[in-house]
Amino acid sequence: MSNEYLLAIDAGTGSVRAVLFDPDGTQIGCEQREWEHKEDPRYPGSMDFDWVHNWELACECTRGVLADTQVKPEQILAVSTTCMREGIVLYDGEGNEIWACANVDARSDDEVGRLIRMNPDLEKEIYLQSGQTYALGALPRLLWVKDKMPEVYEKTAAVGMFNDWLIRKLTGVEAVEPSNGSTTGIFDLKSRSWDPSIAAKCGLREDIFPPVMECGSVIAKVNAKGAADTGLAEGTPVVAGGGDAQLGSIGVGAVAPNQAAVFGGSFWQYEFNTDSGATDPGCRVRVNCHAVPGVWQYEALAFKPGLVMRWFRDGFCEREKELSKATGEDVYDIMNKEAEKIPAGCYGMMCAFSDVMNFISWKHAAPTFTNFGLEPEKFNRYTFYRAILENTAMLVKGHMELVKEATGNMPSEVIFAGGASKSPLWAQILADVLNMPVKVPVVKEATALGTAILAGYGVGLYSSMEEGAQRTIRWDRVFTPDAANHEVYEQMYPTWRKVYAAQMELMNQGLTKPMWAAPGL
């Protein structure tokens, strides 16, 4: 074992974890605690973040991973942090947390409506500068605090993100980094820093924005309080991390312009790197700062593919779940083996869940399966299951084309990571639909590895983020497209887009309910 280690602390939507790596990227230990973000019954759609209890859970993870691995605190070279993006924390003048919400908090419908009525063109104006709309950004949430909790708003001295919150708890120092800071919608993309004038246009204060430090910078060292809480050694360097998708990109080696990665989990993200902070004139796709200085990312989000899979498994695959319990084989592996027997295109059946992204007016039709027959030998639960896999791959194709329209560029291959990349069938379908190689890394959960790479880069262990990625990333498999299957999907794709448009029209008429719609729509 190495005598030197890198620690990543990851505050995800559903859990927090501390992951320990050696300098070659081997995971030495991981300690995880699930957490939940409760709705305040007074405010439908709210998702409060409990900073007291959640910090205790984070400390349990750091202490636990040290105990499990028998690594001494002094052996940790550096710590860095990552988190779910968009969640924000407000602090008072003494640095105490006074309000926080998690990433998909949806309490600000009224405020979005008011912003749109106040100036119908403002959202587009803000997007063209910041790469963000009202759908996920901090502006409506801050306006909500101003309206609904004026006493909190008046006390607010600073706003930060959850990865920065972890660093503040470790060091006492507050600094925001560009990759997650840019998701607030209050950043100028090209300068990679706050633009308080954006807040002023929305009737918000301009004096609550802390310093910005680039990803990979040493922000401070673990202080006495941070050491006492976490079990880490006082004086350990703490390096600015970043948002989960950006650090996941580093963790799969997507660090240079024109590289692309797909992260498949509860939500799917298509990330395409560019060397420019330019945005999409049609405001259809999100643009963020990458955690690599001088690189930006076009990001297209697919809503809920992983959650759709879980719903289908739990609602229709009781037999496979029982078989999984009896044999120890993963239930999805059992389902994949049967779905492989279904031909590409599912005999013409298709489904509609998430739509191709339209960031400025973002909503999704009611979930639908259509165009199936009544022959059970063809149309059984494995056909429906495969249709979900194919639907998600066609979504990625739509997102890739969308980004090409905005940037003029298309990748030559795609890196596929996250929980969904554990499915060889899904990876092969993705290759067949996109007609390009799909590379799957050994480490599927790449965000923590990317965080460790940043920590090592920050203290000089790696000369660059690229060098850190080359040293630590190993490839599991490359999936090459099947020409015959690709032809089936090429013919199916335009039909699927038209079917989805028809489903959207039913939803717009009020005949069906949207799977999801952005606040204010």
Side-chain angles (χ1 to χ4, degrees), residues 45 116 118 180 212 250 348 350 366-367 374 429 431 437 511:
I116 291 170
M118 180 181 79
N180 202 7
V212 175
I250 292 174
M350 60 192 73
L374 301 181
I429 289 171
L511 299 173

Side-chain angles (χ1 to χ4, degrees), residues 380-494:
N380 52 53
R381 65 181 173 282
Y382 301 118
T383 321
F384 282 73
Y385 174 76
R386 184 178 177 116
I388 295 169
L389 306 183
E390 294 182 343
N391 176 76
T392 309
M394 286 194 287
L395 258 175
V396 175
K397 177 181 172 68
H399 286 154
M400 197 172 278
E401 291 180 351
L402 187 64
V403 171
K404 185 183 179 185
E405 286 176 28
T407 66
N409 293 313
M410 177 87 83
S412 57
E413 63 180 20
V414 164
I415 300 162
F416 184 33
S421 68
K422 295 173 186 174
S423 165
L425 177 59
W426 220 342
Q428 185 61 56
I429 289 171
L430 192 59
D432 293 346
V433 169
L434 300 179
N435 199 32
M436 63 177 63
V438 170
K439 293 172 68 176
V440 176
V442 170
V443 176
K444 310 294 190 290
E445 303 293 350
T447 299
L449 178 58
T451 309
I453 291 170
L454 263 192
Y457 165 72
V459 293
L461 180 64
Y462 312 122
S463 61
S464 65
M465 296 182 201
E466 293 88 340
E467 197 250 320
Q470 287 167 4
R471 182 168 165 185
T472 59
I473 296 163
R474 296 164 190 84
W475 299 105
D476 185 8
R477 191 170 164 191
V478 178
F479 294 82
T480 55
D482 178 287
N485 288 352
H486 174 66
E487 186 56 37
V488 170
Y489 293 130
E490 277 295 279
Q491 293 179 20
M492 189 175 187
Y493 177 74

Side-chain angles (χ1 to χ4, degrees), residues 298-311:
Y298 272 71
E299 177 178 270
L301 293 163
F303 262 62
K304 303 185 179 181
L307 300 177
V308 172
M309 292 285 279
R310 189 189 304 170
W311 158 76

Side-chain angles (χ1 to χ4, degrees), residues 18-345:
V19 192
L20 205 56
F21 293 89
D22 73 11
D24 292 321
T26 302
Q27 183 175 307
I28 304 301
C30 177
E31 191 80 11
Q32 181 166 317
R33 296 287 184 275
E34 291 189 357
W35 57 21
E36 59 182 353
H37 316 296
K38 294 177 179 172
E39 182 178 79
D40 185 327
R42 297 173 295 172
Y43 308 116
S46 61
M47 186 181 270
D48 288 336
F49 184 81
D50 183 346
W51 57 81
V52 174
H53 180 56
N54 291 347
W55 174 241
E56 290 170 355
L57 294 177
C59 294
E60 286 180 20
C61 291
T62 55
R63 289 180 173 280
V65 79
L66 291 173
D68 291 348
T69 60
Q70 296 296 295
V71 167
K72 295 181 176 64
E74 296 75 20
Q75 292 177 278
I76 294 177
L77 278 176
V79 181
S80 191
T81 64
T82 186
C83 69
M84 57 175 137
R85 296 168 305 163
E86 298 99 33
I88 58 172
V89 187
L90 304 184
Y91 304 92
D92 64 18
E94 281 80 53
N96 300 309
E97 305 95 328
I98 53 174
W99 186 85
C101 72
N103 53 351
V104 287
D105 183 279
R107 73 182 84 198
S108 52
D109 265 2
D110 293 349
E111 286 69 29
V112 170
R114 198 164 87 235
L115 285 168
I116 291 170
R117 289 191 299 274
M118 180 181 79
N119 181 348
D121 299 321
L122 182 59
E123 187 173 20
K124 181 174 183 179
E125 182 185 324
I126 289 170
Y127 168 83
L128 294 173
Q129 184 180 357
S130 71
Q132 311 296 318
T133 67
Y134 299 146
L136 298 173
L139 291 163
R141 293 168 181 175
L142 290 172
L143 201 56
W144 183 94
V145 175
K146 180 183 177 183
D147 290 350
K148 307 294 195 302
M149 294 185 170
E151 70 289 351
V152 171
Y153 185 76
E154 288 305 315
K155 286 182 191 171
T156 299
V159 57
M161 319 303 285
F162 289 134
N163 54 320
D164 313 313
W165 167 74
L166 289 167
I167 289 176
R168 184 190 269 250
K169 300 297 282 187
L170 289 166
T171 68
V173 176
E174 172 69 15
V176 172
E177 49 69 37
S179 75
N180 202 7
S182 63
T183 70
T184 62
I186 316 174
F187 259 57
D188 176 82
L189 275 176
K190 293 186 177 174
S191 70
R192 298 173 69 92
S193 192
W194 298 109
D195 185 343
S197 72
I198 296 173
K201 288 173 185 173
C202 298
L204 293 165
R205 287 165 51 189
E206 300 177 68
D207 60 350
I208 59 171
F209 304 110
V212 175
M213 290 187 72
E214 236 345 315
C215 308
S217 307
V218 176
I219 288 184
K221 295 182 177 180
V222 174
N223 63 15
K225 174 84 166 61
D229 286 352
T230 61
L232 299 172
E234 188 175 351
T236 304
V238 180
V239 176
D244 53 9
Q246 291 94 325
L247 296 202
S249 297
I250 292 174
V252 298
V255 293
N258 297 325
Q259 287 186 294
V262 172
F263 297 97
S266 297
F267 292 66
W268 277 40
Q269 296 138 339
Y270 170 61
E271 305 287 346
F272 180 75
N273 293 347
T274 75
D275 58 4
S276 156
T279 48
D280 169 31
C283 310
R284 298 164 297 176
V285 63
R286 192 184 202 190
V287 187
N288 304 315
C289 296
H290 198 337
V292 181
V295 181
W296 289 260
Q297 288 190 316
Y298 272 71
E299 177 178 270
L301 293 163
F303 262 62
K304 303 185 179 181
L307 300 177
V308 172
M309 292 285 279
R310 189 189 304 170
W311 158 76
F312 190 82
R313 178 198 69 190
D314 294 345
F316 301 95
C317 299
E318 197 59 41
R319 194 175 95 185
E320 288 74 17
K321 288 170 75 174
E322 290 296 326
L323 189 59
S324 173
K325 283 180 191 172
T327 64
E329 188 176 7
D330 186 275
V331 65
Y332 290 118
D333 290 339
I334 295 169
M335 291 155 68
N336 285 337
K337 283 178 187 173
E338 296 299 323
E340 281 176 10
K341 300 173 187 175
I342 307 295

